Amino acid sequence: MAEPVVDIPVKRSHDFLSLTTKPILKRRRPGQLVAVVVVLFAIVYGVYVLFTNPGFGWPTVGKYLFDKRILGGLMVTLELTIIAMVIGFVVGLLVAVMRMSDNWLLRAVSGAYIWFFRGTPLLVQLLFWGFAAVLFPKIGLGIPWGPTFVEWNTNDLIPLFAAAILGLGLNEGAYMAEIVRAGLLSVSAGQSEASRAMGFSHMSTLRFVVIPQAMKVIIPPVGNEVISMLKTTSLVIVIGVGDLLYNTQQIYAQNLKQIPLLIVASLWYILLTTILTLGQSRLEKKYSKGNALLLGKAQR
């Protein structure tokens, strides 16, 4: 006996098209419109005040923007940033390796270093280095509690510029140690085990295997630290180092044009920060491509 045929209703194509061609109604969001209006009004009003308020003193800004004293202070700021970051990176690398050592004494010393320099304000550390001669008027080489063979005046051995570098560099080393340690821990333990199985020593493993791979993780936060250091150098004003902000202060102390001179310093800081930010972005893109290539090869 033949089975009965059941007609199944089929939706016509023109009915489906009629449903899909209906206009899509966008959800009205009056709050966004109000926010846009408020932001545009704030921008327009800010630009108006910026160029109409005589207190900003734009002619004075243009006059001192390339003043030799400003440029001299700018060079000191760059020197402090570069030297302090080099010291901080070297110290941070050593402290990070000590922190990961099997020796409990090295771990304790590195932990105490990080604890102290991260636990006290940088401003206080700079003041301590600036007034080091109060604690130790003379620095020399000799036998403890015995005769001194060579001796120097502390203020001659540690001038204000050196005190600023020591304060900035040693403080940065504590933060850099944690960044480097995080990078070293990001490398799998199998890499170290394989290199040791091939006859590499512990230091050779760090130098040729672990550190090159860890740099992919270390470099992006180091870029942030460089940008932060550039602005942090302004704290050396408390010990009288002639950086950008200090020279700016000396100028407006004479002509009483505080706001225009502070704008000059801010413009230079913004320019240098922008350059460093662009450089950081290029480095991050470069190393992210390297990570993508390594991941692709590993998946093959």
Side-chain angles (χ1 to χ4, degrees):
M1 182 178 180
E3 295 181 357
V5 179
V6 179
D7 294 333
I8 301 175
V10 179
K11 186 179 289 186
R12 298 176 183 177
S13 60
H14 62 84
D15 293 337
F16 178 75
L17 292 175
S18 64
L19 291 174
T20 57
T21 55
K22 288 183 178 180
I24 300 174
L25 298 178
K26 294 184 178 180
R27 180 181 177 184
R28 295 182 180 180
R29 297 179 177 177
Q32 288 188 354
L33 180 60
V34 173
V36 170
V37 172
V38 171
V39 171
L40 288 177
F41 175 78
I43 292 174
V44 172
Y45 182 75
V47 172
Y48 171 78
V49 172
L50 197 63
F51 288 98
T52 58
N53 191 328
F56 287 103
W58 293 110
T60 305
V61 172
K63 177 181 178 182
Y64 287 99
L65 188 61
F66 296 100
D67 187 272
K68 62 180 182 180
R69 290 168 290 182
I70 297 294
L71 296 179
L74 181 65
M75 292 303 299
V76 173
T77 295
L78 291 174
E79 291 173 0
L80 288 172
T81 302
I82 295 172
I83 299 174
M85 284 306 303
V86 170
I87 293 175
F89 186 80
V90 173
V91 172
L93 180 60
L94 294 175
V95 174
V97 173
M98 292 171 60
R99 190 85 186 274
M100 300 174 65
S101 173
D102 296 332
N103 189 306
W104 69 269
L105 181 59
L106 294 179
R107 292 199 307 271
V109 171
S110 61
Y113 176 90
I114 295 173
W115 167 77
F116 176 78
F117 282 96
R118 292 202 308 176
T120 55
L122 175 58
L123 185 61
V124 175
Q125 296 174 31
L126 287 171
L127 289 171
F128 262 102
W129 284 108
F131 298 121
V134 177
L135 294 174
F136 307 101
K138 302 288 183 179
I139 298 178
L141 298 175
I143 301 175
W145 301 289
T148 301
F149 305 119
V150 184
E151 193 175 64
W152 300 277
N153 187 294
T154 302
N155 288 327
D156 296 334
L157 189 63
I158 308 178
L160 293 178
F161 185 81
I165 288 176
L166 288 172
L168 295 171
L170 294 178
N171 179 269
E172 181 62 31
Y175 292 92
M176 196 66 68
E178 293 299 285
I179 294 174
V180 173
R181 189 169 70 94
L184 296 177
L185 291 175
S186 68
V187 181
S188 64
Q191 299 284 332
S192 300
E193 294 173 359
S195 61
R196 296 298 294 272
M198 295 175 62
F200 282 74
S201 65
H202 181 69
M203 293 304 299
S204 298
T205 300
L206 280 175
R207 179 181 177 185
F208 297 108
V209 178
V210 177
I211 292 178
Q213 297 183 67
M215 292 302 291
K216 298 180 179 63
V217 179
I218 293 173
I219 283 183
V222 169
N224 292 333
E225 289 297 313
V226 173
I227 294 173
S228 178
M229 177 61 71
L230 174 70
K231 296 174 289 186
T232 304
T233 55
S234 60
L235 292 178
V236 301
I237 191 174
V238 298
I239 58 175
V241 177
D243 72 321
L244 175 58
L245 184 60
Y246 180 86
N247 286 5
T248 300
Q249 186 186 52
Q250 295 301 305
I251 295 174
Y252 73 63
Q254 298 175 359
N255 60 16
L256 302 180
K257 302 288 185 179
Q258 292 90 345
I259 297 299
L261 267 301
L262 290 175
I263 291 175
V264 170
S266 299
L267 290 176
W268 280 114
Y269 280 121
I270 291 173
L271 176 62
L272 294 177
T273 301
T274 303
I275 295 173
L276 292 174
T277 302
L278 294 175
Q280 178 187 358
S281 299
R282 291 178 66 89
L283 281 175
E284 289 180 355
K285 289 180 180 178
K286 177 181 176 180
Y287 281 95
S288 63
K289 289 180 181 178
N291 287 334
L293 291 175
L294 290 174
L295 181 61
K297 291 180 180 179
Q299 292 175 347
R300 292 175 191 173

